[in-house]
């Protein structure tokens, strides 16, 4: 049974950092690119970042580039998102999603999300 | 504000068919056959229902089908069932720096 379980969300002050994790199981982690997607309260989904199955390629949305870093540990089947210099508009539910390496544009599996609130 | 446009809600009676639209531009929906549809029940993780406009993943009912015309993609649910009541959103690859864009979601209600 495929499972993606996000953790690490919480309330953080503007300018501070937070690290999200996503534990994957039930599928061949090394055959999938991994994404982070977020949804701010009352708004639609926004793609945040992607990392290739071999970690050689990473890309970010303009809104987070230079502040967020995506990484993965294939020995532990985990995905991470290091978020620095957080801003109030980063407040959102953050989802991790897996995309088979033959079609990165399709989010085959999703987690249930973890809430990040940036507020003083 | 989402990059793709969907109706806020669609409803139908059991057994009927409904169609949800997803409108973008020639830079996303119209330019690539990389449209996907997802189903999300409250408090649950989204589930892939259709990929590459028309393809169904293994295990998804054949009551779900996808199509595209120009800059608008569509998801049709045939033989509507109570379990189909959920939020449905679309996504597409885009040639913009955003890479992937989403619709805001459509709430499907089974009357």
């Amino acid at each position: 049974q495929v499972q993606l379980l996000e953790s690490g969300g919480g309330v953080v002050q503007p300018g501070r950092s937070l690290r999200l994790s996503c534990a994957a199981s039930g599928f061949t982690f090394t055959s999938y690119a991994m994404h982070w997607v977020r949804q701010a309260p009352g708004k639609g989904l926004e793609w945040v970042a992607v990392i290739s199955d071999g970690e050689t390629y990473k890309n970010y949305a303009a809104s987070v580039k230079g502040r967020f870093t995506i990484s993965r540990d294939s020995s532990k089947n985990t995905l991470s998102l290091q978020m620095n210099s957080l801003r109030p508009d980063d407040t959102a539910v953050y989802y991790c999603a897996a995309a088979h390496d033959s079609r990165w544009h399709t989010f085959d599996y999703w987690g249930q999300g973890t809430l990040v609130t940036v507020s003083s | 504000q989402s990059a793709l446009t969907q109706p806020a809600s669609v409803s139908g009676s059991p057994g009927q068919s409904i169609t949800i639209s997803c409108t973008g531009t020639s830079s996303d929906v119209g330019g690539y056959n990389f449209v996907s549809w997802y189903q999300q029940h409250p408090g649950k993780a989204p589930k892939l229902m259709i990929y590459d406009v028309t393809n169904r993943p293994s295990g998804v009912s054949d009551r779900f089908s996808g199509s595209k015309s120009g800059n608008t993609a569509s998801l049709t649910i045939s033989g509507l069932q109570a379990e189909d009541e959920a939020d449905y959103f679309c996504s597409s690859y885009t040639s913009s720096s955003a890479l992937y864009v989403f619709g805001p979601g459509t709430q499907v209600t089974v009357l």
Side-chain angles (χ1 to χ4, degrees):
Chain A
Q1 179 183 352
V2 171
Q3 190 169 20
L4 292 171
L5 187 60
E6 301 95 339
S7 61
V11 180
V12 61
Q13 293 179 327
R16 302 297 291 266
S17 299
L18 203 62
R19 186 178 183 87
L20 304 183
S21 295
C22 171
S25 61
F27 64 100
T28 305
F29 187 67
T30 52
S31 294
Y32 285 76
M34 295 298 296
H35 297 264
W36 286 100
V37 177
R38 68 184 181 183
Q39 185 168 30
K43 297 195 174 182
L45 291 161
E46 178 190 19
W47 173 78
V48 173
V50 63
I51 184 169
S52 63
D53 50 347
E55 302 181 62
T56 54
Y57 174 86
K58 301 177 185 181
N59 207 342
Y60 301 88
S63 58
V64 307
K65 191 171 290 187
R67 300 187 299 123
F68 289 13
T69 301
I70 190 171
S71 62
R72 63 191 293 166
D73 184 340
S74 294
S75 68
K76 297 180 180 179
N77 284 7
T78 59
L79 172 73
S80 297
L81 186 68
Q82 177 66 41
M83 304 185 294
N84 299 331
S85 303
L86 281 162
R87 310 188 301 221
D89 62 358
D90 293 318
T91 295
V93 174
Y94 284 73
Y95 297 94
C96 64
H100 193 270
D101 61 10
S102 62
R103 50 172 198 270
W104 288 17
H105 54 275
T106 299
F107 305 94
D108 293 272
Y109 311 121
W110 296 69
Q112 291 190 289
T114 186
L115 176 62
V116 173
T117 302
V118 183
S119 174
S120 54
Chain B
Q1 302 84 334
S2 298
L4 306 179
T5 302
Q6 295 180 236
S9 62
V10 173
S11 62
S13 299
Q16 287 186 330
S17 293
I18 61 169
T19 296
I20 304 167
S21 61
C22 171
T23 301
T25 69
S26 58
S27 296
D28 39 65
V29 174
Y32 307 91
N33 288 325
F34 293 155
V35 176
S36 301
W37 289 92
Y38 304 87
Q39 176 192 66
Q40 187 175 26
H41 289 102
K44 300 290 188 180
K47 175 186 177 182
L48 176 65
M49 305 301 285
I50 296 287
Y51 68 94
D52 292 350
V53 179
T54 62
N55 296 301
R56 267 189 317 276
S58 173
V60 172
S61 170
D62 60 5
R63 297 186 297 104
F64 292 83
S65 62
S67 63
K68 191 183 83 168
S69 177
N71 294 336
T72 298
S74 298
L75 173 71
T76 297
I77 308 175
S78 304
L80 200 61
Q81 299 180 1
E83 66 203 48
D84 300 332
E85 191 162 286
D87 190 38
Y88 293 83
F89 61 91
C90 58
S91 75
S92 174
Y93 173 80
T94 173
S95 57
S96 77
S97 60
L99 288 189
Y100 310 97
V101 288
F102 296 89
T106 296
Q107 178 62 49
V108 168
T109 301
V110 180
L111 300 172

